[in-house]
Amino acid sequence: MADLHSIVIVGNGVAGLTAGDTLRRLGYDGALTIIGEEPHATYSRPALSKVALAPGEDLDVGTLPDPTHGGTELLGRTAVGLDTDGRTVSLDDGTQVGFDGLIIAAGSHARRFTDSARELTLRSLDDAAVLKRHLLDRPTVTVIGGGPLGMEVASGAVGLGCPVTLVHPGTPMELHLGSLLGGILTDAALEQGLRVIDAMVSTVREFGEGMTVTLTDGSELTSDIVITAAGDLPNIGWLEDSGLLAGGRLIADDRCRITDRIVAAGDVTWINGPSGVGRKPIWTTAIEQGKVAAAALLHGDDAPALDHPVYFWTDQWGQSLKMSGPIPSGEEDPVVVEGDLADRAAVLHWPGSGTAAALNMRMPIPRLHRLAATETVA
Ligand SMILES: Cc1cc2nc3c(=O)[nH]c(=O)nc-3n(C[C@H](O)[C@H](O)[C@H](O)COP(=O)(O)OP(=O)(O)OC[C@H]3O[C@@H](n4cnc5c(N)ncnc54)[C@H](O)[C@@H]3O)c2cc1C
């Protein structure tokens, strides 16, 4: 193991937590400090748009297993700067934390159009508390964005009794799941009363007691609140003077390395891999990158490179979907391995795309991965 006696992790989300636990599992016994902006112990972020927005006042998203890393957690503290040569992280309280090795796992924040308190976003437990408080008053809602977050939030809001209009160019979820599954989830949403407008948003502004969303064709929508679910932006502002950013991105190699002593994992990270430079802001990818980053910090080239199947799930409109592999090509019809699509309960396989999905079917994730990797028709 190199001369690593003190390691700092910035970000105590699932990528940071996994990296910390992995360091210990691999035998690192030096000092470990975790800096986390949120005052909470690590929690399940995906549960925010699922469990937290379910009917009832409860916001309990459950807890993740306690960390095993035994490090010093500085919660409610934000890293505001990084001196790469001097190997120190500056915190918002004016203190500095030195390191031999650094893991950047600062995640991302929600994109938004305005600073208005009536434009809500959902990224953190605190955001979920604010959002739920609003939704329990049953306001009229405009959701901007028909990806997984927008559709899950819209589903929660409709379930809480709110009239909801969702604005999205094209069919919601299609970009994330392909046209077949995107269409099925959109049909379920329409049946439950969601109004979908196929358009792009140009501006959002406060109007009287509510909000006005202007679409690119000039038409306007008004509602009590707007929920923007239009993507996330990596938390890299504090790295601006670090010399680590390339074209405004934190780009790591396929072992999550930025330098010999600095690695990155999770939503904050762009990976320069075999298929180019890309960012995959999903839960299991953050976990896998946390493991690989920790191993690479300790063992360099001897550590394994990233090599994990992409896995994604969503719960919305009473439908539960798990998918392993890339978004299936629109050209390929899936093989129905079990169940029946007409009942919206089926295991599907796209052998040409290397993808498998379980729609409203129980299926262990390893089996789904094996099915996705099967090249012949299952
Ligand atoms: C509502 C919601 C639902 C989702 N649902 C799904 C889903 O169903 N399936 C799926 O695969 N993925 C889902 N995701 C995505 C998934 O949650 C993320 O990919 C994952 O949480 C990323 O983990 P992370 O550790 O990289 O970042 P984060 O979970 O964002 O953790 C980073 C932490 O670092 C902190 N931080 C940021 N800047 C600093 C700083 N300068 N100093 C100190 N701390 C800092 C942040 O406050 C945060 O606590 C969802 C995301 C959201 C928001």
Side-chain angles (χ1 to χ4, degrees):
M1 205 170 292
D3 57 334
L4 296 176
H5 303 291
S6 60
I7 294 180
V8 169
I9 301 177
V10 175
N12 72 320
V14 75
L17 174 85
T18 306
D21 286 351
T22 304
L23 288 173
R24 295 301 194 209
R25 191 168 49 73
L26 296 178
Y28 172 72
D29 61 2
L32 181 59
T33 306
I34 298 99
I35 300 158
E37 185 169 39
E38 292 182 72
H40 316 288
T42 312
Y43 55 87
S44 167
R45 215 168 282 287
L48 296 176
S49 48
K50 303 174 180 71
V51 186
L53 296 190
E57 308 226 340
D58 197 1
L59 246 194
D60 186 7
V61 292
T63 51
L64 295 179
D66 283 340
T68 56
H69 53 63
T72 304
E73 291 185 307
L74 303 179
L75 300 186
R77 290 271 179 284
T78 305
V80 294
L82 169 64
D83 177 349
T84 310
D85 295 334
R87 292 196 217 147
T88 51
V89 174
S90 309
L91 304 190
D92 56 346
D93 62 0
T95 56
Q96 306 220 317
V97 186
F99 63 83
D100 296 327
L102 175 67
I103 299 177
I104 299 173
S108 57
H109 60 277
R111 193 187 289 272
R112 53 186 302 134
F113 287 85
T114 71
D115 292 330
S116 167
R118 279 176 255 144
E119 182 191 4
L120 302 169
T121 56
L122 179 57
R123 181 73 205 177
S124 66
L125 196 51
D126 294 347
D127 294 340
V130 173
L131 179 56
K132 187 135 190 195
R133 225 171 28 242
H134 277 274
L135 295 180
L136 288 172
D137 288 341
R138 300 194 184 167
T140 52
V141 178
T142 303
V143 173
I144 301 175
L149 182 57
M151 283 287 268
E152 288 180 5
V153 167
S155 171
V158 167
L160 288 166
C162 308
V164 181
T165 301
L166 181 141
V167 185
H168 179 82
T171 304
M173 296 302 299
E174 185 171 328
L175 275 177
H176 296 81
L177 297 176
S179 52
L180 176 76
L181 293 171
I184 290 173
L185 293 181
T186 301
D187 286 348
L190 295 172
E191 285 161 16
Q192 287 171 52
L194 180 71
R195 178 179 170 225
V196 177
I197 296 185
D198 179 352
M200 293 280 286
V201 168
S202 83
T203 58
V204 178
R205 67 180 196 282
E206 288 189 351
F207 178 71
E209 297 290 293
M211 297 296 282
T212 294
V213 172
T214 306
L215 307 179
T216 44
D217 67 3
S219 57
E220 293 188 335
L221 298 168
T222 55
S223 55
D224 296 324
I225 60 168
V226 164
I227 305 173
T228 299
D232 64 313
L233 301 167
N235 290 324
I236 51 171
W238 62 286
L239 296 171
E240 229 135 63
D241 298 325
S242 68
L244 297 185
L245 302 182
R249 298 179 296 180
L250 184 67
I251 303 177
D253 70 8
D254 62 357
R255 286 179 173 78
C256 296
R257 290 175 297 190
I258 316 278
T259 71
D260 291 357
R261 292 179 181 274
I262 302 180
V263 294
D267 287 8
V268 73
T269 318
W270 296 76
I271 297 291
N272 187 1
S275 50
V277 177
R279 196 171 72 89
K280 216 164 246 330
I282 56 177
W283 184 256
T284 51
T285 297
I287 292 173
E288 294 303 326
Q289 290 182 359
K291 292 179 191 166
V292 167
L297 187 59
L298 298 180
H299 300 305
D301 283 340
D302 293 335
L306 284 167
D307 179 23
H308 61 95
V310 176
Y311 173 74
F312 171 78
W313 80 99
T314 183
D315 293 319
Q316 50 180 272
W317 312 107
Q319 316 294 309
S320 155
L321 180 94
K322 300 181 212 169
M323 181 185 268
S324 168
I327 298 156
S329 138
E331 323 264 284
E332 188 186 5
D333 287 330
V335 178
V336 179
V337 178
E338 274 178 65
D340 191 335
L341 267 178
D343 301 332
R344 291 190 186 147
V347 174
L348 305 171
H349 181 213
W350 290 261
S353 305
T355 305
L359 175 65
N360 297 319
M361 297 283 278
R362 282 177 168 277
M363 187 166 202
I365 298 167
R367 223 183 110 204
L368 197 64
H369 286 323
R370 281 199 297 280
L371 177 59
T374 309
E375 283 174 17
T376 50
V377 173

